């Protein structure tokens, strides 16, 4: 073989190897863009920005909750007001004590009380472990999510060990089971979405009121995108059965009638609730999606 032919073949081998290395580099770069960084517009994932999970909407009012934002588009404060008074949750994304990723301070105005949620996040920016601190008391929360980033399990230490297991069907919460080791009580709930399903374009997730999930203070964290992704559709009814350790049970029924705007975002929802054979009572929640 002539020297020129050897040189040309060597050149081809080197070029092929160079191309393969370039492909690997490009693939690695694309993978790096998935998750915490968006390559399309070079926008970095920002913890506390609700559009991370709410399909690029940032609600101002969701029922009894009012949501406020800082200059980065992050949730800075959420207030919850009803006939019993108001609670205010303040979000800190650079906590000074460095023992968590996000700190949420919640003030009970009527009782002059304050508690703090010290939130540790998983790799997707969702709450994984939380210390709830009030005076000298510390309660623990643990959260698990499915591959779609939706909450599937919650374990909290309050009142003994309370475990909530959430089952999904086609992106919607279909069943919720809550079990308490403290008093051997449990609650089993089913959620229905109707024959004509309503797309959950606003990412509405009112855990206690609609999804039978006893979220308490952690419910504030959802508005900042810290509790995973929403259901695919809006619930239209639920049925919840509470079982006590003494064998008693109470059944609660709720129905939800939604009014939507031209963009198919909720304007209001009428909630009808009754226990067993009692007379139902109603209340209405309003929504504000203004810019």
């Amino acid at each position: 073989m002539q020297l020129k032919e050897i040189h040309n073949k060597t050149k081809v081998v080197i070029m092929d190897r160079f191309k393969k290395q370039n492909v690997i580099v490009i693939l690695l770069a694309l993978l790096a863009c998935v998750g915490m960084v968006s390559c399309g517009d070079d926008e970095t994932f920002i913890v506390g920005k609700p559009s991370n999970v709410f399909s690029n909407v940032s609600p101002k009012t969701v029922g009894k909750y009012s949501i406020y934002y800082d200059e980065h588009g992050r949730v800075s404060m959420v207030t919850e007001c009803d006939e019993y008074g108001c609670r205010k949750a303040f979000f800190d994304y650079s906590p000074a004590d460095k023992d968590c990723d996000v700190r949420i301070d919640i003030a009970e105005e009527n009782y002059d009380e304050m508690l703090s949620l010290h939130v540790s996040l998983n790799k997707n920016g969702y709450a994984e472990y939380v210390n709830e601190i009030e005076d000298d008391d510390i309660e623990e929360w643990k959260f698990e999510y499915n591959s779609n980033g939706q909450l599937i399990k919650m374990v909290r230490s309050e009142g003994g060990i309370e475990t909530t297991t959430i089952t999904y069907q086609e992106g919607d919460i279909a069943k919720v089971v809550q079990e308490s080791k403290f008093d051997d009580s449990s609650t089993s709930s089913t959620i229905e979405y109707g024959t004509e399903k309503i797309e959950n374009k606003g990412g509405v997730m009112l855990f206690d009121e609609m999804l039978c999930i006893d979220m308490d203070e952690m419910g504030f964290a959802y508005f900042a995108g810290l509790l995973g992704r929403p259901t695919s559709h809006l619930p239209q009814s639920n049925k919840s059965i509470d079982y006590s350790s003494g064998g008693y049970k109470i059944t609660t029924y709720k129905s939800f009638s939604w009014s939507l705007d031209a963009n198919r975002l909720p304007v209001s929802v009428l909630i009808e609730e009754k226990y067993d054979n009692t007379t139902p009572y109603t209340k209405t929640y309003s929504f504000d999606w203004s810019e």
Side-chain angles (χ1 to χ4, degrees):
M1 185 180 294
Q2 295 182 359
L3 183 60
K4 185 176 181 179
E5 288 182 294
I6 295 174
H7 174 75
N8 288 338
K9 287 188 176 183
T10 303
K11 184 177 179 181
V12 169
V13 170
I14 293 173
M15 289 300 294
D16 286 343
R17 186 173 299 172
F18 180 74
K19 289 178 181 178
K20 290 178 180 179
Q21 288 175 339
N22 278 349
V23 170
I24 293 172
V25 170
I26 292 170
L27 287 173
L28 290 174
L30 289 171
L31 288 172
C33 291
V34 177
M36 304 299 278
V37 178
S38 174
C39 291
D41 53 9
D42 199 28
E43 181 184 349
T44 302
F45 180 98
I46 300 176
V47 171
K49 195 172 181 181
S51 59
N52 294 329
V53 296
F54 294 162
S55 302
N56 294 316
V57 295
S58 298
K60 299 296 176 65
T61 304
V62 178
K64 58 185 177 180
Y65 300 94
S66 297
I67 302 97
Y68 302 85
Y69 302 89
D70 64 17
E71 65 275 14
H72 303 293
R74 302 176 302 188
V75 170
S76 58
M77 181 176 73
V78 178
T79 64
E80 177 191 11
C81 294
D82 55 25
E83 63 270 26
Y84 304 108
C86 289
R87 294 193 298 174
K88 293 183 178 180
F90 303 91
F91 291 73
D92 183 356
Y93 300 100
S94 300
D97 42 26
K98 304 297 183 184
D99 68 336
C100 58
D101 298 305
V102 180
R103 174 170 168 162
I104 307 173
D105 293 323
I106 302 173
E108 297 270 1
E109 287 189 339
N110 287 6
Y111 303 100
D112 194 27
E113 295 178 352
M114 174 78 77
L115 63 84
S116 294
L117 300 173
H118 292 227
V119 184
S120 297
L121 306 177
N122 65 14
K123 64 181 181 180
N124 295 316
Y126 306 144
E128 183 174 44
Y129 179 81
V130 178
N131 272 331
E132 178 182 326
I133 302 172
E134 183 175 9
D135 297 327
D136 295 328
D137 295 328
I138 299 178
E139 302 289 347
E140 295 179 330
W141 304 67
K142 296 178 182 178
F143 301 90
E144 296 179 16
Y145 305 85
N146 61 21
S147 58
N148 294 323
Q150 294 174 308
L151 182 64
I152 58 172
K153 188 175 183 179
M154 177 177 74
V155 180
R156 55 187 301 193
S157 62
E158 185 177 17
I161 301 298
E162 183 181 278
T163 301
T164 301
T165 305
I166 305 165
T167 303
Y168 289 79
Q169 185 174 352
E170 298 180 352
D172 291 321
I173 294 175
K175 186 175 182 179
V176 177
V177 176
Q178 177 185 300
E179 299 174 298
S180 173
K181 289 187 177 181
F182 175 72
D183 57 4
D184 291 327
S185 64
S186 65
T187 302
S188 180
S189 306
T190 54
I191 296 91
E192 301 288 343
Y193 297 84
T195 53
E196 295 185 12
K197 295 184 178 181
I198 304 171
E199 184 182 355
N200 190 5
K201 293 188 69 174
V204 176
M205 292 282 281
L206 293 172
F207 289 94
D208 293 85
E209 295 92 333
M210 296 182 178
L211 298 169
C212 309
I213 300 173
D214 186 16
M215 194 62 70
D216 284 347
E217 296 82 10
M218 275 302 298
F220 290 109
Y222 180 72
F223 296 104
L226 303 180
L227 286 178
R229 302 188 65 82
T231 57
S232 299
H233 301 92
L234 294 171
Q236 296 192 40
S237 66
N238 67 43
K239 176 182 176 182
S240 185
I241 304 176
D242 295 301
Y243 300 91
S244 71
S245 56
Y248 299 102
K249 70 176 184 178
I250 298 175
T251 304
T252 305
Y253 304 88
K254 286 185 180 181
S255 64
F256 313 104
S257 300
W258 299 89
S259 297
L260 309 176
D261 65 14
N263 296 315
R264 303 292 292 173
L265 290 169
V267 174
S268 65
V269 59
L270 175 66
I271 304 174
E272 182 178 275
E273 180 176 358
K274 68 175 183 178
Y275 300 90
D276 292 321
N277 296 319
T278 61
T279 302
Y281 67 92
T282 61
K283 58 184 174 181
T284 301
Y285 281 171
S286 299
F287 301 84
D288 181 3
W289 307 94
S290 59
E291 302 258 336

